[in-house]
């Protein structure tokens, strides 16, 4: 990367950092290019040069946050020794990410009703693919072996991620009575029960260490 390209990449990251901070502080109402330009110290002209539009910047920030989430979810699968351990680790890692990076998680969930995701769907999908593929690659052998239900991957994703994503949405919205620590303790095994093939309880000797996931 040339010095000019390096400076451009640093400017783009500074804009994304500022955009996330602006959204966390003021929500969607304060999420404007003027506020982001002021917070970052980067001119509006440079902002438009790097992202094309306000929607382009928002889509880029969404992609960055989503990739970080997916990478956090995939990370514990490297050491998951069983299908059960892996499914539980995915669910716990999602909720742990929410606890540890609430600003990124809040932006992800706030973006669900936005127009920029549809307008930049192809770009977002391209950014997400390398991050989500390791999760599917981990699951496929377990599906073929009959340990996890054989469903289209999009539906399997909904069964595993859907419950924790909705939990995260409500937690971030401040719904009373929702304890994230309790969700991390309780939901992963319930989600495993929804995707395992056998209705019988697993043998007591099945190696399945508790996911080493926590948050401050």
């Amino acid at each position: 990367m040339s010095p000019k390209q390096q400076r451009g990449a640093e400017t783009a990251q500074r804009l994304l950092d500022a955009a996330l901070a602006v959204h966390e502080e003021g929500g969607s109402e304060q999420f404007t290019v003027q506020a982001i330009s002021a917070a970052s110290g980067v001119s509006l002209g440079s902002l438009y040069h790097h992202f094309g539009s306000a929607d382009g910047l928002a889509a880029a920030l969404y992609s960055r946050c989503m990739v970080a989430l997916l990478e956090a979810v995939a990370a514990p699968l490297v050491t998951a020794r069983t299908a059960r351990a892996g499914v539980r680790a995915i669910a716990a890692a999602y909720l742990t990410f929410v606890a540890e990076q609430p600003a990124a998680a809040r932006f992800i969930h706030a973006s669900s009703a936005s127009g920029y995701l549809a307008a930049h769907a192809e770009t977002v999908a391209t950014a997400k693919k390398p991050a989500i593929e390791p999760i599917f690659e981990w699951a496929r052998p377990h599906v073929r072996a009959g340990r996890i239900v054989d469903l289209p991957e999009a539906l399997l994703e909904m069964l595993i991620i859907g419950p924790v994503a909705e939990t995260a949405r409500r937690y971030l919205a401040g719904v009373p009575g929702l304890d994230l620590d309790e969700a991390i303790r309780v939901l992963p095994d319930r989600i495993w029960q929804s995707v395992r093939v056998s209705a019988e309880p697993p043998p007591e000797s099945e190696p399945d260490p508790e996911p080493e996931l926590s948050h401050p």
Side-chain angles (χ1 to χ4, degrees), residues 183-209:
I184 292 172
R185 288 194 303 271
V186 173
L187 287 181
D189 204 55
R190 297 295 180 181
I191 291 169
W192 161 245
Q193 296 301 329
S194 74
V195 299
R196 64 186 306 235
V197 171
S198 173
E200 296 298 320
E204 292 183 358
S205 60
E206 180 183 4
D208 184 22

Side-chain angles (χ1 to χ4, degrees), residues 44 95 107 120 135 181 193 208:
L44 281 174
L95 294 173
F107 189 80
H120 295 269
I135 301 171
D181 288 322
Q193 296 301 329
D208 184 22

